[in-house]
Amino acid sequence: MNDQDREKIDRLSFYQQLLIRTMDEKEYPWYRMIVEKNLSEGEVEDIYRLFEELERKKEDLREAGMLDQTPLLLHYVGMLNLTLHPFMTANALNRQGYFKILTAELIEMMKEKESQIK
């Protein structure tokens, strides 16, 4: 990579940081997190696939009569991209309208587990 290319990349990175600051975190918390964490399109698609898988697992657990949803939470935390915080990710997705029911349940489970620890 030559100096001119490096300069263009640095400039685009700077512009990106400026745009992030203008992005309303209350309206677009998930998109902002994507940009702040520098997630690639593939990584975001992996997260969406994870949530689709979690929805299927949740239905399987429900059909099996399982009341304890802890395996769902463990799968989520274990499979989530390591650069992301489980609670903050579920919260951002929920607030932006993605996987509303599932993320609300995950948030509630994480709050319950945290209160049991304290």
Side-chain angles (χ1 to χ4, degrees):
M1 179 180 334
N2 63 38
D3 289 341
Q4 195 174 26
D5 290 339
R6 186 77 206 133
E7 186 178 313
K8 285 180 185 179
I9 291 170
D10 289 345
R11 186 177 315 118
L12 287 172
S13 178
F14 172 68
Y15 293 162
Q16 176 187 18
Q17 292 303 313
L18 291 175
L19 289 171
I20 290 171
R21 292 180 191 154
T22 66
M23 192 181 268
D24 185 357
E25 188 174 350
K26 291 179 182 170
E27 194 169 344
Y28 301 105
W30 172 235
Y31 292 163
R32 185 170 178 151
M33 182 179 288
I34 290 169
V35 176
E36 287 178 339
K37 296 294 186 177
N38 293 313
L39 298 178
S40 69
E41 184 176 358
E43 289 171 319
V44 173
E45 289 172 1
D46 287 345
I47 292 164
Y48 291 152
R49 277 192 292 276
L50 171 61
F51 275 87
E52 290 165 359
E53 181 182 352
L54 289 168
E55 285 181 331
R56 286 189 300 275
K57 286 183 177 286
K58 179 183 161 209
E59 184 62 25
D60 291 345
L61 288 171
R62 189 187 63 76
E63 287 176 2
M66 298 283 292
L67 298 177
D68 182 15
Q69 300 285 307
T70 302
L72 197 67
L73 178 60
L74 292 174
H75 186 76
Y76 166 63
V77 171
M79 297 302 292
L80 186 63
N81 184 309
L82 294 175
T83 64
L84 299 175
H85 185 278
F87 183 83
M88 293 173 64
T89 302
N91 192 42
L93 284 162
N94 183 277
R95 288 177 31 220
Q96 198 164 321
Y98 287 90
F99 307 99
K100 289 285 282 186
I101 295 171
L102 177 59
T103 54
E105 291 173 356
L106 289 170
I107 290 166
E108 188 60 35
M109 283 189 277
M110 285 184 274
K111 286 180 179 178
E112 287 175 15
K113 298 296 181 192
E114 185 178 328
S115 69
Q116 289 174 358
I117 294 171
K118 291 182 178 181

